[in-house]
Amino acid sequence: MNNSHNDILSPVGVCVLPRPNKNGSRTVSYPDYIYEILDAAGLFYTRESLETLPERLGNIGVLVTVGEASLTDDTAAALTQWVHDGGAWISVAGVCGLGALLGVEAEAAAFTSFGGGMGTLGEGYLKVNNSDHPVLNHLEIPLHYFNGAPLRATDALVLAHSLNAHGQETERPVLSEKINENGIAICIAVDITGSVVAIQQGRGAVSRDGFPAPDGTAPVCDEVLKSGDGGALDWLLDRQPVPGLPGLNAFLQPIADQWRELLLRAIFYSAHRQGVDIPVLWLYPNNLPAIAHISLDTDGNDPDQAELLFDTLERQNVKATWCTIMPGLPQPFMLKIHEAGHELAMHYDAMTDGLHWGADQFSLQWRGLVDLFDGRQPVTNKNHYLRWEGDVELWRWCEAHQIELDQSKGASKTGEAGFNFGTCRPYYPVDFQGNLINVLELPTFTQDLEIFVPKVFADALIKPVMKHHGILHLLFHPAHTHKPATNLALVEVTDKGRSLGLEWWTAAAINAWERARRTAKWSEYKSGKDGAAANVHISAESALENAAVLWMKGPASPGSTGARWGFEASAEIMNLSSDPATVSTMK
């Protein structure tokens, strides 16, 4: 169904609605994080203000609003008419007084109370009603969320409903759609931005031990503060049995990534239905579906073991990130692995007796490593034992020392293995005020195969990483690779990854590509009309070789090799620079 508006100048417009006053109830947290989600995806979108929305609607293909607000009569009328005329509106965690357009009603709070106000959805799970729907067919388990807008369905088609925090059924819709004459209105009741932040960063500051898993596989109550102590996901409802490993449950679904993807799929679905062409700068060069990475923690700093691991990696033609704990390996060896193309990185130690958690200790170790690395400053850090205290302090220390990527969110116990922070992609975290922190976080999923987990566990990671277009991050310690089973596991997993088309990158390479990709700028979008091609310009402040620019098409068929986030995508491979390049759809 074609959009019959004026020329579309922006395929996607995003409007973050005004926030309630402090101490007021709200359905969405960190609403501006919607921009990080879409920037990370490489989507062409424009930021729209509520004040100018009525006159801008005719130039927007798909409108995404985030939050709840009272609209003026003029804005409500304009939005209603725009949808009826062929527009596509996706409302996240709000109804905005337009329940008739969305086919839902907002529930009020159960009781008038001090500090109350609008109703809130609270914690729960999205449960799919229609598993064939292209917005939802990537989900295999109920999807954990944190807050949103409590709704009742009126005449919307309910695609997914809510389970409460204990997994019990409710009648609340959490994803619905309604056709309004020529247009479509989709309501995602869940606070996507707040849920993604909570899952990726944890429930709050780490100041006490976490509670252990009920099956004994993750005894996190060990009197050592670490990132997993702040995890937001549930031991029972968010873990799954690991195939081939009876008795072991792990976090096998990247839940934060799935929420990101659900939003993207809703955009692509709405755009396809309304005939809007959406360009995307893909995640990896040459349109790769995913990539892989090995980090190494030099605990013990044994030169012979390090040489053995280096020789194995060289035979495998895999370059790794060597997270070096002080005092480090002999300097000639460190310079040798650097010259061979490996990365020299930091392994901050607040675990060894006499070493404490603090900015001063971090800085002292950083200076020692810079000397060891012959003046080269590390780009990457991973904390020894995945130690963590407080909230965002570690990221601030990284910022202060020009460390651009951290790997300290992850699994320190076997039963935590997998995506215990819900993502297999690098992301920018936020502080409590919602400000982005200039450090990419790439979580650590597991540790040495055949030591931390049997090697078949790698298969349980590879499948979701490929499906959700992530980065397979495996950690090994030189201290274990003299053991034949561990060394063989390293060889087998690197061979398997390469056989699946995965390239093995260092963390520095991942960081450089991701940051360069984020400098890309879209401009001069022109939508296709009457069978003509759509056009767009794209440039990048940092050169990007073999970048893949996609045009998102209709829902993909099962098993399609050209699918990205569940939708067919035509790709054009090009080198991007500061000079804008023109990309057109092929119709």
Side-chain angles (χ1 to χ4, degrees):
M1 189 175 298
N2 290 327
N3 189 309
S4 60
H5 301 161
N6 303 331
D7 287 340
I8 296 175
L9 304 178
S10 172
V12 181
V14 179
C15 183
V16 173
L17 299 176
R19 305 185 190 194
N21 293 330
K22 291 184 178 180
N23 198 38
S25 62
R26 62 203 64 221
T27 61
V28 62
S29 299
Y30 308 104
D32 288 342
Y33 205 72
I34 189 76
Y35 304 132
E36 161 62 16
I37 291 174
L38 298 183
D39 287 341
L43 200 70
F44 183 171
Y45 72 94
T46 53
R47 300 188 185 194
E48 305 291 342
S49 71
L50 185 58
E51 291 74 20
T52 60
L53 193 57
E55 56 263 34
R56 284 280 300 161
L57 282 171
N59 299 128
I60 295 171
V62 177
L63 174 68
V64 180
T65 60
V66 182
E68 182 66 277
S70 296
L71 306 182
T72 65
D73 291 343
D74 288 346
T75 301
L79 180 53
T80 299
Q81 189 62 52
W82 176 76
V83 170
H84 279 276
D85 286 346
W89 176 33
I90 300 171
S91 178
V92 177
V95 176
C96 301
L98 296 178
L101 195 62
L102 293 164
V104 297
E105 294 177 344
E107 289 184 1
F111 185 82
T112 301
S113 62
F114 177 78
M118 70 179 74
T120 49
L121 186 58
E123 182 180 357
Y125 294 80
L126 175 151
K127 185 176 180 180
V128 173
N129 292 6
N130 182 354
S131 60
D132 294 327
H133 198 283
V135 178
L136 294 167
N137 62 18
H138 64 302
L139 301 179
E140 300 178 25
I141 63 170
L143 206 55
H144 203 159
Y145 64 74
F146 297 86
N147 205 20
L151 307 175
R152 285 191 297 268
T154 53
D155 57 349
L157 174 63
V158 177
L159 304 174
H161 67 281
S162 171
L163 308 180
N164 67 21
H166 301 285
Q168 299 167 322
E169 292 280 347
T170 82
E171 295 182 354
R172 286 174 164 172
V174 291
L175 179 62
S176 59
E177 69 173 282
K178 182 183 176 183
I179 307 303
N180 295 272
E181 294 186 43
N182 295 318
I184 184 172
I186 291 178
C187 187
I188 304 172
V190 169
D191 174 8
I192 291 180
T193 56
S195 296
V196 167
V197 169
I199 295 167
Q200 289 178 165
Q201 296 186 211
R203 286 183 180 263
V206 175
S207 59
R208 296 174 185 269
D209 265 339
F211 297 109
D215 58 8
T217 62
V220 294
C221 51
D222 57 0
E223 296 188 11
V224 177
L225 296 180
K226 54 215 170 293
S227 61
D229 289 321
L233 296 178
D234 188 86
W235 293 120
L236 297 179
L237 299 179
D238 293 322
R239 292 193 305 171
Q240 301 78 47
V242 180
L245 297 176
L248 179 61
N249 291 298
F251 295 100
L252 301 183
Q253 301 291 330
I255 292 171
D257 292 342
Q258 290 171 340
W259 275 117
R260 290 170 176 262
E261 185 171 333
L262 185 147
L263 175 64
L264 294 173
R265 284 169 171 253
I267 293 171
F268 301 148
Y269 168 73
S270 303
H272 175 67
R273 189 186 182 283
Q274 301 309 111
V276 177
D277 299 293
I278 295 187
V280 168
L281 177 58
W282 183 238
L283 305 176
Y284 312 111
N286 294 308
N287 200 20
L288 293 171
I291 60 173
H293 164 61
I294 285 179
S295 64
L296 311 170
D297 294 356
T298 71
D299 305 0
N301 290 314
D302 184 293
D304 293 336
Q305 293 170 340
E307 286 276 6
L308 175 62
L309 181 51
F310 173 74
D311 291 342
T312 299
L313 291 171
E314 287 297 285
R315 287 193 299 270
Q316 292 299 108
N317 193 26
V318 171
K319 306 306 178 185
T321 294
W322 293 70
C323 297
T324 305
I325 197 168
M326 286 294 291
L329 292 155
Q331 188 177 59
F333 177 76
M334 304 298 325
L335 301 183
K336 171 185 172 182
I337 62 176
H338 169 74
E339 291 299 322
H342 296 257
E343 177 188 0
L344 302 181
M346 182 172 181
H347 196 38
Y348 169 51
D349 183 8
M351 180 73 175
T352 301
D353 288 345
L355 300 180
H356 61 271
W357 178 269
D360 58 338
Q361 188 63 239
F362 187 95
S363 185
L364 180 66
Q365 294 179 31
W366 177 85
R367 290 196 299 271
L369 289 174
V370 171
D371 289 342
L372 178 65
F373 298 161
D374 198 26
R376 297 176 180 86
Q377 296 186 12
V379 172
T380 303
N381 172 69
K382 184 194 303 107
N383 291 347
H384 183 39
Y385 199 65
L386 303 181
R387 283 274 284 114
W388 196 281
E389 293 186 30
D391 187 10
V392 301
E393 291 86 343
L394 184 276
W395 288 317
R396 294 299 188 198
W397 303 342
C398 288
E399 274 188 319
H401 293 82
Q402 293 80 51
I403 289 175
E404 296 185 341
L405 187 145
D406 180 71
Q407 303 180 338
S408 302
K409 293 285 189 179
S412 64
K413 309 294 187 196
T414 297
E416 289 181 292
F419 313 106
N420 63 324
F421 286 96
T423 181
C424 52
R425 284 280 303 153
Y427 66 88
Y428 285 112
V430 291
D431 62 18
F432 181 65
Q433 289 73 38
N435 303 305
L436 286 181
I437 299 171
N438 189 26
V439 178
L440 288 167
E441 181 66 31
L442 179 65
T444 297
F445 310 145
T446 186
Q447 301 182 31
D448 310 77
L449 300 179
E450 293 296 281
I451 300 293
F452 192 78
V453 285
K455 64 183 179 181
V456 296
F457 186 77
D459 295 333
L461 292 178
I462 291 172
K463 180 180 176 182
V465 165
M466 295 290 288
K467 177 179 177 180
H468 299 289
H469 311 302
I471 298 174
L472 178 67
H473 177 192
L474 300 176
L475 163 63
F476 289 87
H477 291 78
H480 295 306
T481 49
H482 68 286
K483 302 169 185 175
T486 303
N487 202 50
L488 179 60
L490 173 59
V491 170
E492 290 180 349
V493 76
T494 51
D495 282 343
K496 181 165 187 175
R498 192 168 281 124
S499 72
L500 294 172
L502 297 177
E503 295 181 359
W504 294 91
W505 290 20
T506 65
I510 292 168
N511 175 72
W513 172 265
E514 183 68 12
R515 287 175 179 271
R517 196 176 68 90
R518 299 292 194 102
T519 70
K521 304 295 182 186
W522 299 100
S523 61
E524 298 189 37
Y525 174 90
K526 293 183 179 179
S527 61
K529 278 188 173 183
D530 301 322
N535 297 281
V536 71
H537 289 180
I538 184 171
S539 61
E541 295 175 15
S542 300
L544 283 172
E545 293 187 2
N546 300 315
V549 180
L550 311 182
W551 287 100
M552 306 306 295
K553 299 182 179 297
S557 303
S560 170
T561 57
R564 295 292 179 263
W565 293 309
F567 285 74
E568 295 292 349
S570 63
E572 184 173 348
I573 309 300
M574 59 178 57
N575 296 332
L576 297 181
S577 68
S578 57
D579 295 325
T582 301
V583 188
S584 301
T585 56
M586 305 299 292
K587 292 191 175 181

